[in-house]
Amino acid sequence: LTKVSRRPPFLMGEVVSQFSSWEELFSVLRASCHIPIAGGLLPYPIKDHGWFWDGLLWSSLFVPWRTFGRHDSVFKISPFASWADIRPSTILPPWWAMFPPSIECLLGMLMLGYKDAEDWSNRLEKGDDKRWELVRGLMKPKGARKSRMDQEAKRLVIALHASAAWHWKVFSVLVSALVLVLAVLMHTSALGTIVPLFGGVGAWGR
């Protein structure tokens, strides 16, 4: 969460881990995705906590990933942070946070989350990172695990990859066109400055 204050430093990172009621849990989750302007001009209020915006407005690098004991481990999950333990295996367009794609893409994102978490779990069980030894011990399956990735889920993930690639391609074309237009305008402006200059030099020479 990003806490908004009327006194310096005005914006602060905050972590909420205990909830006294379902209403408080709902308010915290609602505030954690409250995007300025898109969600309203004012921050989102949480009773007895303050006013908040989306946590992405405050870099998680400045907020330690907290644990509640020496033997606890934190799983870092993020849709954008490349250093998170579980993150999308494809680069999702960030503007989807404000302009959601089709329902099929949203379902694909859901199934991609299952796939990435499953892949991470498999890597964890086969890895040799001592930091996760206790976690691996707790994760030992009692029986054969059944993957959620059936044929329909795989189809949704493939459709998501295709849609994300198409959006990035359109974005790159638009950016290229904008750069070209700016270059032409700057070139035209430069010519408009140089031509009168040379005209003045010619008149002075005569």
Side-chain angles (χ1 to χ4, degrees):
L1 295 169
T2 301
K3 187 171 185 178
V4 182
S5 174
R6 289 179 293 181
R7 292 177 291 184
F10 304 114
L11 297 178
M12 297 175 291
E14 183 162 318
V15 177
V16 181
S17 58
Q18 296 182 351
F19 312 96
S20 59
S21 63
W22 186 93
E23 288 75 14
E24 183 181 9
L25 171 61
F26 174 85
S27 296
V28 171
L29 291 175
R30 172 63 179 80
S32 70
C33 58
H34 186 68
I35 302 175
I37 300 179
L41 295 177
L42 295 177
Y44 191 83
I46 301 179
K47 186 178 180 181
D48 299 328
H49 285 280
W51 295 75
F52 296 89
W53 274 329
D54 190 311
L56 278 178
L57 294 179
W58 181 265
S59 175
S60 59
L61 292 175
F62 298 103
V63 181
W65 296 87
R66 298 185 180 183
T67 59
F68 304 99
R70 288 191 311 125
H71 301 293
D72 290 345
S73 295
V74 175
F75 300 152
K76 303 173 185 176
I77 304 173
S78 173
F80 301 112
S82 60
W83 58 84
D85 295 302
I86 302 178
R87 56 191 180 277
S89 53
T90 186
I91 302 177
L92 302 176
W95 53 88
W96 281 2
M98 295 186 64
F99 305 101
S102 65
I103 294 179
E104 184 180 53
C105 282
L106 294 176
L107 291 174
M109 292 170 65
L110 173 65
M111 300 317 301
L112 181 66
Y114 280 119
K115 178 182 181 299
D116 292 333
E118 186 177 283
D119 292 343
W120 174 80
S121 174
N122 292 333
R123 291 195 304 271
L124 183 65
E125 291 181 8
K126 297 176 182 178
D128 55 358
D129 188 345
K130 294 182 179 180
R131 185 171 54 127
W132 304 110
E133 284 183 355
L134 176 62
V135 180
R136 279 198 294 269
L138 296 175
M139 288 179 59
K140 288 181 179 178
K142 297 180 180 179
R145 290 184 303 179
K146 183 179 180 181
S147 174
R148 291 178 177 267
M149 298 303 296
D150 55 15
Q151 292 300 319
E152 177 62 14
K154 292 178 181 179
R155 185 193 69 81
L156 289 171
V157 170
I158 292 174
L160 172 67
H161 282 293
S163 180
W166 183 85
H167 275 80
W168 279 116
K169 186 177 295 184
V170 171
F171 176 76
S172 63
V173 170
L174 292 176
V175 170
S176 300
L178 178 61
V179 171
L180 180 61
V181 170
L182 290 177
V184 171
L185 291 176
M186 292 176 64
H187 182 69
T188 304
S189 177
L191 287 178
T193 303
I194 293 174
V195 170
L197 177 62
F198 276 96
V201 170
W204 178 78
R206 291 195 293 271

